[in-house]
Amino acid sequence: MNHNTPLSPRPLRRLSDVRRRVLTTAQLRAHGVTAAGANEQCRPGGPWQQILPGVFLLHPGPPTSEERLHAVLLFAARSPLPDPATGIPAQPGAEQPHAPQPSTDALITGMAALTLHGFSSTPPLTSLDRIDVLVTRLRRLRSHGCAHIVRTAVLPAPCYVTGVPVAPVPRALADAVAELEDAGAVRRLLTEAVRGNHCEPAAAVRELTEAKLLSRPHVVDAVDSLLAEGRVIAEDRLYRMVREYGLPDPVWNVDLRLPGGPHLGGLDAYWPEQAVAVELDTRAPRQDEDALWSEYARKREHLERLGITVVYITPRKLRAGLEQQATVVRTALMASNDRDPAAYVVVLPR
């Protein structure tokens, strides 16, 4: 390759070609190009351009989306991005596999990450003025140009989308929401995260809580809608589980009481003959989580003292495997034949 030769853009999936078009000062030096030589190539009307400090684009036209992503990662990384196959820093011009999983010290996050994850409610990469990149707090690095630095105590494990190291959806969602003041935009993002099966509501709320975003009224309102949406989806999966895996029909959404006595709690499904109950655990990780879990535990202990088996199922488990959860419930129903009869309770619609 001649360093004076402009390189034509390729589609996002061809990141190996991007690595030939976007190079750092150190990578150019490895090919014998000095800093002065690189600056000469970037003179007005020259064949190259400096897209970010220490990062060069080896053609004169506007950068493509993938070139901007790669440039931001090179700018934020301590060293050249590693070769996905070997973990060794990539050399200019080297071919790269399409499904890398190397370690990295910088991740694309925020709106750009959500777009890469497949969100339809986020802008296309071409229309983003800036690209959020996640680094650890100890890094001495400032935002510059299209690279917006976002800091975290510990980098999450990266996801790789078309070879790009990207923050997981819950973290990317929190970083995107942190920059939004419009309640409708926040609600659209959170709703798509759940409806599109990008993440569970609890995971999203956990990240929003850690980012201290639940002090913002428009975020709290969106989170309430998110949790309601997540529960509806989980209930629908529970109905499907019973129907598709041939479980006997339960009574749905009921309250249990002792005859003439206190309220025992609400349940999502109950099989009176077998004294087996299912409750969806849709707790959100907020500040009162410990108190809420204590309430769950007290109810379960009380019901089990009365001989009622309680199966707790999380939305995540239903999403990951209906058949496995159906087996858990079926096993509990079959085991009822080997237990002493449960206490009589009154079943009321909830």
Side-chain angles (χ1 to χ4, degrees):
M1 179 182 72
N2 186 320
H3 289 291
N4 293 320
T5 305
L7 300 177
S8 58
R10 298 291 181 84
L12 184 62
R13 64 180 179 275
R14 295 297 305 277
L15 286 178
S16 58
D17 293 327
V18 177
R19 293 175 192 267
R20 296 193 183 107
R21 303 195 304 266
V22 184
L23 301 175
T24 64
T25 301
Q27 290 172 318
L28 289 172
R29 189 183 303 117
H31 273 268
V33 181
T34 64
N39 289 333
E40 175 65 18
Q41 299 283 49
C42 294
R43 69 189 185 282
W48 297 359
Q49 54 186 306
Q50 187 170 349
I51 186 171
L52 286 166
V55 182
F56 295 85
L57 181 62
L58 273 58
H59 68 75
T64 63
S65 297
E66 64 269 29
E67 287 169 346
R68 292 176 76 218
L69 289 170
H70 193 60
V72 166
L73 288 168
L74 287 175
F75 169 72
R78 287 190 177 94
S79 57
L81 298 182
D83 183 314
T86 65
I88 300 172
Q91 296 302 313
E95 288 291 341
Q96 308 296 331
H98 296 309
Q101 294 185 357
S103 60
T104 182
D105 53 12
L107 306 177
I108 301 298
T109 190
M111 288 291 190
L114 296 178
T115 297
L116 287 168
H117 278 297
F119 277 63
S120 61
S121 59
T122 54
L125 295 176
T126 52
S127 67
L128 290 175
D129 293 329
R130 74 182 197 188
I131 296 174
D132 295 330
V133 58
L134 192 62
V135 301
T136 57
R137 287 176 183 165
L138 299 179
R139 298 289 307 282
R140 298 180 65 181
L141 192 63
R142 293 184 179 180
S143 300
H144 195 285
C146 66
H148 179 249
I149 302 301
V150 179
R151 302 185 187 280
T152 184
V154 179
L155 277 181
C159 303
Y160 286 89
V161 182
T162 62
V164 177
V166 178
V169 168
R171 175 64 207 229
L173 198 59
D175 289 333
V177 168
E179 302 298 325
L180 294 174
E181 297 297 333
D182 181 68
V186 172
R187 185 175 292 106
R188 283 192 295 274
L189 282 183
L190 297 184
T191 299
E192 183 174 359
V194 174
R195 288 184 181 176
N197 290 327
H198 293 290
C199 72
E200 295 298 333
V205 176
R206 183 178 299 110
E207 288 290 348
L208 293 171
T209 302
E210 291 182 2
K212 297 180 173 55
L213 294 174
L214 294 187
S215 60
R216 304 180 184 183
H218 69 287
V219 176
V220 173
D221 291 343
V223 164
D224 290 341
S225 298
L226 170 76
L227 296 176
E229 180 83 20
R231 180 160 189 90
V232 168
I233 292 173
E235 288 175 345
D236 182 64
R237 288 177 180 152
L238 183 60
Y239 298 149
R240 282 178 48 210
M241 182 192 78
V242 170
R243 182 177 66 253
E244 293 179 10
Y245 292 95
L247 296 174
D249 288 332
V251 287
W252 296 102
N253 297 315
V254 296
D255 278 320
L256 299 187
R257 293 181 181 274
L258 287 173
H263 175 246
L264 298 174
L267 299 169
D268 293 286
Y270 184 58
W271 288 264
E273 292 184 8
Q274 295 86 0
V276 171
V278 166
E279 185 162 10
L280 289 172
D281 183 358
T282 55
R283 290 174 297 127
R286 295 187 179 184
Q287 294 179 349
D288 59 352
E289 181 181 9
D290 290 341
L292 190 56
W293 173 245
S294 297
E295 180 183 337
Y296 269 74
R298 283 195 299 271
K299 180 168 72 173
R300 181 173 187 165
E301 290 172 2
H302 195 177
L303 291 174
E304 291 189 343
R305 283 198 301 270
L306 296 172
I308 297 171
T309 299
V310 183
V311 178
Y312 279 94
I313 301 179
T314 64
R316 183 176 182 177
K317 289 180 178 178
L318 285 173
R319 176 186 174 190
L322 286 181
E323 184 175 7
Q324 182 180 2
Q325 298 312 306
T327 300
V328 171
V329 174
R330 183 178 289 108
T331 300
L333 293 171
M334 294 173 62
S336 66
N337 295 327
D338 301 325
R339 299 195 308 266
D340 293 333
Y344 177 76
V345 294
V346 178
V347 182
L348 300 172
R350 185 163 58 177

